Amino acid sequence: MSIQTLQNTLSAPSNDGLDDALAVARNNYLARRPSSVAAFETSVDYMPGGNTRTVLFHGPVPLRIASGSGCKIVDADNIEYVNMLGEYTAGIFGHNHPVIRAAIDRALDMGVNLSGHNPDEVSLARLVCERFPSIDKVRFTNSGTEANLLAISISRYHTGKQKVMVFDGGYHGGLLYFRGGGMPINAPFDYVVAPYNDIEATQQMLEKFGSDIACVLVEPMQGATGCIPADTAFLSMLREECSRLDSVLIFDEVMTSRLSLAGAQGARGVIPDMTTLGKYIGGGLTFGAFGGREDIMSVFDPRRADVIPHAGTFNNNSLTMAAGVAAMRDVLTEETLSILNQRGEGLRSNLNKIAMGMDLPIQFTGEGSLLAMHATRGTIRSAADLKSNDDRIIELVFLDLLEKGFYIARRGFMALMLPLGDTEYQGFEQAITKVFESRRSVISQ
């Protein structure tokens, strides 16, 4: 499909100023990015929708990124952007951190696929166990999805129970998605779907199904649904109820582990029985992990006669292990992480002030260095509160920010990176102010 054909399909006038503004923004996007269009035209021949990672797809055609350095990326048409997305939290270190790059180079010099244990895996395991209060023992995987599947499975085995409590709006990986009624290809566990942040309703469901609930899987902040933090009182209730019912409380900290040196569990003072991890802990390379109480995890000990096998060719791959050690030991110190989260709190506060000052139906939620934009009014505490969200506004702001040199997720998500400095933060606030001013009439209609 040519650029002209794509533009023609977007040019039909409407009686809605927001729709018309969005059509113009999409056409401008296409006109400036012929290489992204060409790459999309080729990719659809080999991948469904030209895509192998759904979250990156957006209209009119997905942006094609060619390179990155520090906190900046360059697309296939040589347009540069400040990356405010941070690879959906995995890119916290930026695109070429010298300490992590040196660790990967050293690992490459030693050879890859060595067919055995390597020195860095125990070092990374020690760092993980020392950081997160809930983790006595840990095992590595290749993704957060895999980590959550294993955490659920071992919880069911450990307790002898079958049901898995999750929450509306929850996302725990490619086979564990629970927004809007869930996904047809979710892993076939016996789910109980409870309302997020609703203490009374969740307690009632725990009372009803508690005798057969093996585990409760919860994000301390729902990430994919739009950076909606759990109330500490809600998490504390889950802790108390799981202890009472002899169910395993699992915190999915694939995203929230960066909210303090000890993750959200450390920041909130609520300690689960198991924790799942992923994203940045592998230094920007493929990584996942699950860990918890020793009595739960010990069943994976190969020295036991009743061992539960857990294989995976790349669980301890040498590049990720080396990058992870360098990242966790040498880069992401308590001070560094604290400063990043403080800057995130400041940015979110300033963005909300900008939107409120113009009386726009836009607000920013999140915690620490993670934030999301929503086009709706009213308090947001669960996915149900987003039913009035106008996705057209989010897309329009997304496209306008691209034209001003800032890259966020199409859905409005942002994850801040260490290389971002005063120039980038101030520039982003100025850019979004100009976008809001220029679009005020159509956003407010």
Side-chain angles (χ1 to χ4, degrees), residues 304-351:
R304 289 177 49 155
D306 61 344
V307 60
I308 298 295
H310 165 224
T313 301
F314 297 108
N315 287 350
N316 69 330
N317 79 85
S318 55
L319 298 187
T320 295
M321 297 297 103
V325 170
M328 298 292 283
R329 183 190 63 200
D330 303 327
V331 180
L332 207 62
T333 64
E334 183 171 14
E335 180 182 11
T336 298
L337 193 56
S338 177
I339 291 172
L340 182 67
N341 283 310
Q342 288 172 16
R343 299 203 77 157
E345 293 288 347
L347 177 63
R348 182 168 49 259
S349 176
N350 289 344
L351 295 176

Side-chain angles (χ1 to χ4, degrees), residues 13-63:
S14 74
N15 295 319
D16 189 308
L18 180 55
D19 284 339
D20 290 341
L22 192 52
V24 171
R26 288 169 176 166
N27 280 327
N28 290 341
Y29 172 92
L30 289 170
R32 289 194 69 199
R33 296 167 180 84
S35 296
S36 282
V37 174
F40 178 70
E41 291 171 346
T42 299
S43 65
V44 295
D45 291 336
Y46 306 103
M47 293 178 285
N51 180 269
T52 190
R53 186 180 170 197
T54 305
V55 73
L56 297 181
F57 184 86
H58 64 78
V61 299
L63 194 65

Side-chain angles (χ1 to χ4, degrees), residues 168-170 178-180 196 222 225 228 380-387:
D168 180 39
F178 300 98
R179 186 174 181 183
Y196 192 71
Q222 287 192 337
T225 292
I228 305 176
I380 299 173
R381 297 184 62 251
S382 69
D385 297 323
L386 295 174
K387 290 181 180 178

